[in-house]
Amino acid sequence: KCGELNPGPSIAVSSLAKQRDAPKERTHKRPKLWSGLQPSREEDYALGGVMNGFLPHRGQRGGCIISCLTPSLWPFVAQALGFTVNSLTTPCENYLSLLRSRYPSLVSPSQAAAVADVCVAFGDWASFKVKDTRYWEENMYPHVFTLDGDEEVMVPLGWLLHQHAFTHAHMGGITDGVFNLGILLRPDQAAHYDDLASVPPLPVQAPSALANVLNSTVHAQPHKEHVVNKACDVAVQVGAPPTFVGRLLLATGLAPSTNLDKVKVIVPCVFSPTKWGVRKLTLEEQAGVWDVPILLQDLLVKDGDRGKDVLRDLCRDCPGKVIHLGADYLLGVYCRGGLEGERGGDDSKPRAEAQRGLKLVRQAADAAANQEDVDESLATVVKQEGQKADDAEVPVHLWDAMWMLRRKEKGLPPMTGWLGQTLKLDRESKLPRWRMCLRGLRASMFIRLWRRSVTRSWCKYARTLAQGSTLATAVVWWSIRGKPTSGRSGYVWTAAGRQNYKMFWKVPRVCAHTRDILEAGREAIGRVAQATWWDWNGGSSLFFWRWSVSHERWAREGQPHFVTGELPKFREAQRKSATPESQALVQAKVNKVRSRLYIAPGLVVSLTHMFDVPKPPHDIRMVYDGTASGLNDALYAPHFTLPVVENTLRSLLPNYHAADLDVGEMFLNWPLGKELRSRAGVDVTHVKTKLGSQKEEWELGRTRNWERWVRNFMGLKDSPYRSLQLMIKAKHCAYGDRNDPTNPFQWDAILLNLPGDEGYDPSLPWVMKVRKDGHLACEVYIYVDDGRFTGWSKIECWKAVQRFSQVLTFLGIQDASRKRTEPLTKPGPWAGTVTITEGGVYATVTAMKWGKTQDVVREMVAMMEEDKTAMPRKRLEQIRGFLIYVGRTYRWMNPYLKGLHLTIDGWRMDRDVDGYRIPNFQAEWAMKEAEDAFEKGEGGDLLGYGKGGAGKAKAEPPAVVEAASRLAGDLDALTDLTSGDEPALQSCRVTGALSAVYLMGDASGKGFGSGIWDGEGITYEAGSWKECYSTESSNWREAANLTKQIKKLGQDGRLHNKELFVFTDNSTYEGTFYKGYSGSSKKLTKIILDLRQVERETGCIVHVIHIAGTRMKSAGVDGLSRGDFMEGIMAGKNPWSCVPLNEDADQRSLGRVSAWVTKWWHDEDGKPWCLRRPKIPTNLRERRLEITSPYSIHDKG
């Protein structure tokens, strides 16, 4: 009858070894394996070969049911094969409860709801053979099961049986066991083969060895010396049959599949005097032999006796690799179509347009990239070295060209047909008539309007100082008269008007505070009167009355200083410059500062010094020293960061424009705190006009040799911090209202394009301020006094520059017009780097700096050829500083500077012959000193040797040093890399790639594994290190495992113009990558050098990111290094969920961070904790705790 159990037809293969040893002329198609497993690949670093394969992104295959009498790995295997577990039937309650608590997805609560989706059943034959006829009639889907030994299968009528014997070692396992698996199918489900020879074989994998799962930190009984020597002499031989020495098992080969828990093994042991011992395998080691997933091992061990009992049962069942790869093989070979899932239906596959807003940004970026160049037939203005000179000319034609460009933008006609009377001045200047008119307007009308605007704003503010006074009620001080005797109409004083006016200004001066305010305003208006349209000829003062109330006093009197020590009383006289020529330049520069009252007469208690340094090509830079006097020692300045070129990339796309605006007299714009002025004296003896010489008007009455600073000066410790603090405030004022359509800094939304997002686009910035038209918003970056502006077009970038310049002028901050540059796609250098947006986004250096780089490399080569044992150390330090500066642009340069570092510091006592630092040298040197003292009778004991010592290890640096062994190779590489007349280009962002490449690797113990995924799928590999590699440090193994994968990706062409994210749980590898070299490991330095070479050759951008070891385990890569294919990304887990770079701390913790903060935010009475602090403003005390976003941060401040 149908369903009656009786022997049926079967295809039996005794083992995969028979398939491997088949005749060579027989060819097979590769089986359609869900795991994507490929034949083992031979590599020189891998012991026995490398397991490898490819898992494409795809949907689930459907549901499955599992039936087993004992705890089994079938639920994990089913998940790894793409099935959803709809039901799990087993009599083992402990096993079920553990799965429900830790793996709820493997035990679905709604079992009946998904029966229709079931497409396969898994389990052991013991549980299926008791099924009745009705079961086999109703559940007509494939059944895959394990068999106990030589158990015979009674095939139901109407079903086909295929049974295979799988050798564990041929599937990458550790035991010598052979295990049977079978599959039952309906005839209409089965694939047809003409004969046994046409059945595709399972790709044979490299076996492992018992030594790979042993833990050397477990205590073991020390073993006899002669036996130990025999064990040590035998190298690990993967796949070798179990070898016994007497009754003791050697760990160099396979393990026996029976009674393994009772066998004693010779194991490595760090606690044994011989480093070898004898013991039985621990439960965790047995689980490793039986391929139990590592996360499941941890769970069961931590669960106590109940979990350990389940783990023991798993170690008596079929090994995990046999179940996983065997079931995959049976389904892929004997099921028609391979029982494939729906491709492309998985939510884990990234979709280019998934993230909202990216499409609009791409469209706007294409428009910007294809915009036409603007030609105004005027000379291009790029930042040049000569522009920085104080007497450099202002590029007036730049403003004229931009004015004409804005006319075109508004649709106005050009000025070529404009008529006007030609004057003599026009003929002499040879300028177009319209440009001469602009010159006249700026020199006469516009500057007067500006002066009047500033003066009126000051008067309006000054009147508020007399509020509350009866004089403030005086309304009219002037009276209009018809025509006075002069014949001209105008205003004259009324009878009481002049007296009222005098009293109005006299009353505020009674108070010292208001008197200081009026004096500061008077000084500012006086400087305004001396200013021209292009320059502040009389210096500048902040228009403090225009600053916000929160910063008004700081703008007038300067911020308070953080004084942490006793202020000095330094009175050493100032020395002259080295040469008469440089002294003349010093006198001119210092007197310019004095004439502008930045150095002014006043009480001086302590002096500061100054000196000059060359400033190419023919200038000097003044440095005012606050250190020699001890003033800097008494001050504290908080640490702060400055933007670099990498920061500007978030507002740059291909064909975007950039321009520069420099702040004139940067530090001198800002007032020095009053309490410090008397301690910042200046000896002006050698710069002031000598007696008998004609003095200028500003110097009359200034007879003292000592004067003092009243502004921040270069060389004062906190000048950069204090100056930039107010400069950033001015920057935020310039940003204005982001919703104003006329504001060049307008933006509509903040768009996050983060790695890990489904629509992540590596050709776009990670964080973007986006306008309504899709273009990136204009942005400004301040590097001390250099401002870099970016915009999607020339005119938009210029508008942003002009807006910022107007705000600076409004607040009384100088804009150095002579240093202004034109918006270009290839602007001049900023923060040492030139950015180019033509055809992409690139970084480079100027031709002058590139030539200097070549010169210093050739200079070091000449030093080596002349005498490599006596290279001038001081000169090498200067060269190193310059090359480090160049290395900020070129990431590939840092590894090649290691030889230079080793050469400069190789003379130190804690260095080996190659210049590398000796580990633990300090303690060893201190111990040696203590021992010497003890032998001489100078010390009583050695207990305190580590507290002192090593003082003698420090010596005075020599004048010349010997070249390190690797310097010659580094110089050869630098010579090659810096060859060519044109500076090298560094790619800053990939182009044309809509997906990134991600690499995660681990090299735990004696194995290694890695997974590489992109928009197509996951490429994985795993294996065991050869003996010569397994003895290397864990840092080296981790680095080598990742770097070899990156090199292979480069060779395969997968990294060309791509962005690569490398994830590792080894922080040393991450730190060494960004530093460029290791301070103590030559081999690790070589690996990083190879990695940088790949980056340079392929044009890819590499990010190395350290992640926690728990994440590595969760991703399944930690287990992959042990040959485990049933967890994490190997089991179908979304790879991006393992490294959620696109989530914040609260999202990653599933809201636990915000819950924790909310818990302590209010006190016992339910009031905000800040209510107890009286200085907190009332509006902040009542504010509720809110979770902010980038968007809300910019709106709320």
Side-chain angles (χ1 to χ4, degrees):
K1 297 180 181 179
C2 182
E4 181 180 350
L5 297 180
N6 55 66
S10 65
I11 298 177
V13 181
S14 61
S15 70
L16 290 178
K18 293 182 179 180
Q19 299 179 23
R20 184 183 61 180
D21 299 334
K24 299 297 182 182
E25 63 271 9
R26 186 178 66 191
T27 59
H28 299 284
K29 293 182 179 179
R30 289 184 178 177
K32 298 176 64 176
L33 300 180
W34 180 268
S35 60
L37 191 65
Q38 302 294 326
S40 179
R41 187 180 71 243
E42 295 294 330
E43 295 287 355
D44 57 357
Y45 54 83
L47 189 62
V50 177
M51 299 178 70
N52 64 99
F54 175 73
L55 283 172
H57 294 301
R58 54 195 169 187
Q60 292 291 97
R61 302 168 91 171
C64 72
I65 62 171
I66 298 175
S67 178
C68 52
L69 297 181
T70 60
S72 172
L73 294 176
W74 275 118
F76 301 91
V77 169
Q79 189 179 52
L81 294 180
F83 295 101
T84 301
V85 180
N86 290 51
S87 68
L88 172 59
T89 304
T90 178
C92 184
E93 289 298 329
N94 290 340
Y95 177 54
L96 275 178
S97 63
L98 284 169
L99 290 183
R100 288 193 184 100
S101 62
R102 181 61 177 86
Y103 299 98
S105 62
L106 295 180
V107 186
S108 175
S110 56
Q111 299 178 6
V115 172
D117 296 328
V118 174
C119 56
V120 68
F122 297 112
D124 51 49
W125 178 244
S127 64
F128 287 136
K129 68 181 181 180
V130 298
K131 303 296 184 181
D132 57 13
T133 303
R134 185 176 180 180
Y135 171 86
W136 295 105
E137 291 175 348
E138 294 178 351
N139 301 285
M140 292 188 294
Y141 37 74
H143 286 61
V144 183
F145 48 85
T146 58
L147 290 163
D148 187 8
D150 297 330
E151 185 178 5
E152 185 179 2
V153 178
M154 301 297 291
V155 182
L157 289 178
W159 291 75
L160 296 178
L161 169 67
H162 295 283
Q163 184 176 335
H164 269 258
F166 296 97
T167 302
H168 189 201
H170 294 162
M171 309 176 89
I174 297 178
T175 73
D176 62 349
V178 178
F179 303 88
N180 295 315
L181 268 71
I183 181 172
L184 284 171
L185 308 103
R186 302 290 296 181
D188 59 335
Q189 300 169 342
H192 175 72
Y193 298 99
D194 295 333
D195 54 24
L196 184 64
S198 62
V199 178
L202 175 68
V204 177
Q205 302 302 314
S208 186
L210 179 59
N212 291 341
V213 299
L214 297 179
N215 186 355
S216 62
T217 61
V218 177
H219 178 75
Q221 186 69 28
H223 200 51
K224 296 180 181 179
E225 190 69 25
H226 67 282
V227 178
V228 170
N229 289 334
K230 290 183 180 180
C232 295
D233 292 339
V234 180
V236 174
Q237 300 176 356
V238 293
T243 304
F244 287 85
V245 178
R247 294 185 177 181
L248 302 180
L249 175 65
L250 290 179
T252 55
L254 297 176
S257 59
T258 58
N259 299 321
L260 184 59
D261 56 338
K262 300 177 181 179
V263 177
K264 288 189 175 182
V265 186
I266 299 177
V267 297
C269 179
V270 297
F271 304 112
S272 172
T274 61
K275 301 303 178 184
W276 291 89
V278 175
R279 61 174 173 81
K280 295 181 180 179
L281 297 183
T282 65
L283 187 57
E284 292 87 343
E285 291 169 337
Q286 295 177 47
V289 172
W290 246 253
D291 309 322
V292 179
I294 186 171
L295 292 178
L296 180 59
Q297 290 183 38
D298 295 342
L299 170 68
L300 296 178
V301 171
K302 293 178 181 178
D303 194 62
D305 294 338
R306 182 183 65 165
K308 292 180 180 179
D309 290 340
V310 173
L311 189 56
R312 290 189 185 93
D313 290 336
L314 291 176
C315 293
R316 299 186 185 102
D317 195 40
C318 191
K321 289 179 181 176
V322 174
I323 301 178
H324 178 212
L325 300 181
D328 193 12
Y329 173 75
L330 293 176
L331 289 173
V333 171
Y334 294 113
C335 285
R336 182 176 298 174
L339 207 64
E340 281 288 343
E342 296 182 2
R343 306 182 70 87
D346 183 29
D347 291 337
S348 65
K349 183 175 181 178
R351 294 178 293 274
E353 302 299 335
Q355 192 172 4
R356 180 172 176 256
L358 286 184
K359 184 176 181 179
L360 179 62
V361 173
R362 291 194 192 95
Q363 292 173 346
D366 291 339
N370 297 321
Q371 61 182 313
E372 297 181 359
D373 294 334
V374 179
D375 183 13
E376 290 303 323
S377 301
L378 295 175
T380 300
V381 181
V382 184
K383 182 179 288 187
Q384 304 289 340
E385 292 296 331
Q387 272 183 290
K388 297 182 180 181
D390 294 340
D391 57 351
E393 293 186 3
V394 177
V396 180
H397 65 276
L398 175 58
W399 276 262
D400 295 345
M402 291 298 112
W403 180 79
M404 182 62 69
L405 185 60
R406 296 195 67 172
R407 282 181 57 87
K408 290 184 177 181
E409 182 194 30
K410 296 177 180 178
L412 298 176
M415 302 292 293
T416 53
W418 185 75
L419 300 178
Q421 183 180 0
T422 303
L423 302 178
K424 179 180 179 182
L425 183 63
D426 301 334
R427 294 192 295 270
E428 292 177 352
S429 64
K430 298 181 180 181
L431 292 177
R433 179 71 173 138
W434 63 272
R435 291 189 62 189
M436 284 302 302
C437 290
L438 287 177
R439 175 184 290 186
L441 289 172
R442 291 172 184 140
S444 58
M445 180 178 179
F446 293 163
I447 184 65
R448 292 179 180 179
L449 291 175
W450 173 73
R451 289 171 180 164
R452 186 176 68 175
S453 173
V454 176
T455 304
R456 284 183 173 180
S457 67
W458 160 246
C459 292
K460 182 178 180 181
Y461 172 84
R463 290 189 183 99
T464 63
L465 300 178
Q467 286 182 356
S469 165
T470 56
L471 295 176
T473 59
V475 177
V476 179
W477 293 334
W478 308 87
S479 179
I480 303 177
R481 298 294 177 91
K483 287 187 178 180
T485 55
S486 63
R488 293 164 44 187
S489 62
Y491 295 94
V492 296
W493 291 105
T494 61
R498 184 188 299 272
Q499 185 64 24
N500 289 340
Y501 182 80
K502 289 181 178 180
M503 291 300 297
F504 180 84
W505 290 105
K506 182 177 180 181
V507 170
R509 294 179 181 273
V510 176
C511 174
H513 175 65
T514 52
R515 184 167 60 247
D516 291 342
I517 294 176
L518 292 175
E519 287 300 321
R522 182 193 62 80
E523 177 185 332
I525 297 302
R527 297 183 189 277
V528 169
Q530 300 179 59
T532 65
W533 185 256
W534 298 113
D535 200 4
W536 298 72
N537 291 336
S540 66
S541 291
L542 297 180
F543 303 152
F544 58 88
W545 59 92
R546 287 179 165 178
W547 287 69
S548 62
V549 177
S550 60
H551 289 74
E552 178 186 322
R553 184 162 187 168
W554 283 8
R556 184 178 65 249
E557 301 176 2
Q559 307 101 300
H561 297 268
F562 294 98
V563 180
T564 59
E566 184 179 356
L567 294 174
K569 295 182 179 180
F570 181 78
R571 302 190 178 186
E572 183 177 330
Q574 174 68 42
R575 298 179 182 179
K576 282 188 175 182
S577 185
T579 64
E581 293 79 9
S582 60
Q583 178 61 32
L585 292 174
V586 169
Q587 184 172 2
K589 287 184 175 292
V590 175
N591 280 340
K592 180 180 180 180
V593 176
R594 294 179 62 218
S595 67
R596 297 185 175 188
L597 291 178
Y598 301 152
I599 298 176
L603 174 65
V604 176
V605 177
S606 178
L607 294 174
T608 59
H609 280 177
M610 54 187 172
F611 58 91
D612 59 286
V613 294
K615 179 181 177 181
H618 308 294
D619 202 357
I620 64 170
R621 176 180 285 109
M622 290 301 303
V623 178
Y624 304 101
D625 185 12
T627 301
S629 65
L631 181 58
N632 285 342
D633 295 336
L635 299 177
Y636 167 76
H639 173 76
F640 64 96
T641 58
L642 289 173
V644 291
V645 171
E646 285 79 3
N647 301 112
T648 68
L649 300 180
R650 66 178 174 83
S651 58
L652 286 178
L653 288 175
N655 217 29
Y656 270 47
H657 290 67
D660 294 330
L661 176 151
D662 280 29
V663 178
E665 298 182 335
M666 173 61 186
F667 290 166
L668 300 178
N669 278 283
W670 321 100
L672 186 68
K674 289 185 175 181
E675 70 275 18
L676 216 65
R677 295 179 183 180
S678 63
R679 306 286 177 161
V682 180
D683 185 354
V684 297
T685 304
H686 301 299
V687 297
K688 71 176 186 177
T689 304
K690 304 301 180 183
L691 292 176
S693 301
Q694 182 66 33
K695 292 186 177 182
E696 296 186 35
E697 183 179 356
W698 63 265
E699 201 174 8
L700 296 176
R702 297 171 66 168
T703 59
R704 295 182 179 274
N705 292 334
W706 287 5
E707 296 180 348
R708 67 180 190 178
W709 284 103
V710 295
R711 300 291 178 93
N712 292 343
F713 59 92
M714 182 185 297
L716 186 64
K717 186 175 184 177
D718 60 355
S719 282
Y721 173 78
R722 300 171 73 255
S723 301
L724 283 170
Q725 191 178 32
L726 289 179
M727 190 67 203
I728 296 302
K729 174 62 178 178
K731 171 184 172 179
H732 286 282
C733 292
Y735 278 150
D737 181 8
R738 71 174 183 86
N739 295 310
D740 182 0
T742 63
N743 181 7
F745 293 106
Q746 61 169 298
W747 57 274
D748 178 61
I750 291 180
L751 185 61
L752 301 181
N753 173 47
L754 302 178
D757 285 339
E758 291 185 352
Y760 172 63
D761 186 348
S763 65
L764 297 177
W766 290 355
V767 181
M768 297 169 278
K769 289 198 296 188
V770 183
R771 297 155 43 119
K772 290 185 178 180
D773 56 9
H775 292 295
L776 302 189
C778 295
E779 191 55 274
V780 56
Y781 306 90
I782 305 296
Y783 187 88
V784 190
D785 61 337
D786 292 347
R788 168 57 57 97
F789 295 79
T790 61
W792 73 270
S793 67
K794 181 186 287 287
I795 189 63
E796 288 298 324
C797 185
W798 180 256
K799 288 179 181 178
V801 177
Q802 285 296 89
R803 160 76 181 179
F804 194 81
S805 175
Q806 292 167 4
V807 171
L808 292 186
T809 305
F810 179 83
L811 297 176
I813 305 171
Q814 296 188 38
D815 169 15
S817 301
R818 69 182 185 278
K819 300 182 183 181
R820 183 75 63 86
T821 64
E822 180 182 353
L824 298 170
T825 56
K826 187 179 179 180
W830 183 81
T833 302
V834 177
T835 56
I836 302 175
T837 59
E838 297 171 355
V841 181
Y842 305 96
T844 185
V845 295
T846 61
M848 179 184 297
K849 184 174 291 186
W850 184 252
K852 184 177 179 180
T853 303
Q854 295 173 325
D855 292 340
V856 298
V857 172
R858 285 193 289 264
E859 181 181 352
M860 287 191 291
V861 172
M863 292 180 188
M864 289 278 292
E865 294 174 349
E866 181 178 354
D867 187 359
K868 66 178 182 180
T869 62
M871 302 180 71
R873 184 183 56 82
K874 278 289 185 183
R875 178 55 185 157
L876 290 179
E877 288 180 342
Q878 295 172 352
I879 293 175
R880 176 170 68 175
F882 173 75
L883 291 180
I884 289 175
Y885 188 59
V886 176
R888 293 172 57 181
T889 301
Y890 300 115
R891 296 189 298 265
W892 44 261
M893 181 173 283
N894 279 337
Y896 300 101
L897 301 183
K898 182 60 178 177
L900 183 57
H901 297 316
L902 297 177
T903 299
I904 293 175
D905 296 320
W907 59 271
R908 301 183 185 276
M909 299 288 290
D910 60 343
R911 304 300 175 110
D912 62 15
V913 292
D914 295 321
Y916 284 88
R917 187 178 292 108
I918 301 173
N920 302 321
F921 176 80
Q922 289 286 102
E924 292 177 2
W925 182 269
M927 183 63 180
K928 183 179 181 301
E929 285 186 325
E931 289 176 347
D932 292 343
F934 185 79
E935 291 176 358
K936 296 176 182 179
E938 299 175 0
D941 55 56
L942 303 178
L943 295 178
Y945 75 90
K947 297 181 180 179
K952 296 181 181 178
K954 298 179 181 179
E956 290 296 324
V960 294
V961 292
E962 183 177 357
S965 57
R966 66 164 289 169
L967 180 60
D970 286 347
L971 291 179
D972 291 340
L974 287 173
T975 301
D976 181 55
L977 293 173
T978 58
S979 61
D981 298 332
E982 295 296 326
L985 288 179
Q986 173 74 57
S987 177
C988 298
R989 189 175 299 126
V990 301
T991 56
L994 294 181
S995 64
V997 181
Y998 301 81
L999 166 63
M1000 184 181 293
D1002 188 49
S1004 302
K1006 297 186 178 181
F1008 60 85
S1010 63
I1012 303 168
W1013 70 92
D1014 55 13
E1016 299 299 323
I1018 303 170
T1019 302
Y1020 63 89
E1021 74 168 37
S1024 301
W1025 294 107
K1026 284 187 176 179
E1027 192 70 23
C1028 57
Y1029 297 105
S1030 62
T1031 57
E1032 295 285 352
S1033 68
S1034 60
N1035 290 336
W1036 182 90
R1037 293 199 304 272
E1038 294 275 4
N1041 177 45
L1042 292 167
T1043 304
K1044 64 181 175 60
Q1045 291 298 325
I1046 297 172
K1047 292 173 68 175
K1048 188 174 184 303
L1049 287 172
Q1051 294 168 359
D1052 295 342
R1054 292 182 62 183
L1055 292 184
H1056 178 67
N1057 202 18
K1058 285 290 188 72
E1059 189 172 24
L1060 173 65
F1061 292 86
V1062 182
F1063 301 99
T1064 175
D1065 59 356
N1066 186 274
S1067 59
T1068 300
Y1069 181 69
E1070 180 196 41
T1072 305
F1073 171 78
Y1074 289 108
K1075 188 177 181 181
Y1077 52 83
S1078 170
S1080 57
S1081 174
K1082 306 171 189 176
K1083 294 182 179 180
L1084 193 55
T1085 298
K1086 176 63 169 59
I1087 289 176
I1088 299 302
L1089 180 59
D1090 293 342
L1091 179 56
R1092 287 299 190 182
Q1093 285 177 332
V1094 173
E1095 186 180 29
R1096 176 172 167 78
E1097 291 169 359
T1098 61
C1100 70
I1101 299 175
V1102 179
H1103 309 275
V1104 177
I1105 302 172
H1106 174 259
I1107 62 175
T1110 52
R1111 286 198 177 275
M1112 193 69 73
K1113 284 186 177 182
S1114 175
V1117 177
D1118 184 80
L1120 185 62
S1121 67
R1122 297 168 170 85
D1124 177 16
F1125 294 86
M1126 291 182 286
E1127 288 184 319
I1129 60 177
M1130 301 303 299
K1133 187 176 182 180
N1134 188 337
W1136 290 271
S1137 67
C1138 302
V1139 280
L1141 302 180
N1142 56 333
E1143 295 181 1
D1144 57 33
D1146 194 48
Q1147 291 172 324
R1148 296 182 190 181
S1149 64
L1150 302 178
R1152 290 195 295 269
V1153 172
S1154 57
W1156 171 70
V1157 175
T1158 304
K1159 184 177 181 181
W1160 53 259
W1161 182 255
H1162 295 84
D1163 58 19
E1164 297 83 356
D1165 299 329
K1167 298 180 179 180
W1169 63 273
C1170 55
L1171 192 60
R1172 302 175 182 176
R1173 303 172 61 187
K1175 293 184 179 180
I1176 298 295
T1178 304
N1179 62 326
L1180 292 182
R1181 296 185 195 177
E1182 302 301 329
R1183 181 177 295 177
R1184 292 182 175 274
L1185 183 64
E1186 298 181 25
I1187 299 178
T1188 60
S1189 65
Y1191 191 93
S1192 62
I1193 288 176
H1194 281 79
D1195 277 347
K1196 298 180 180 180

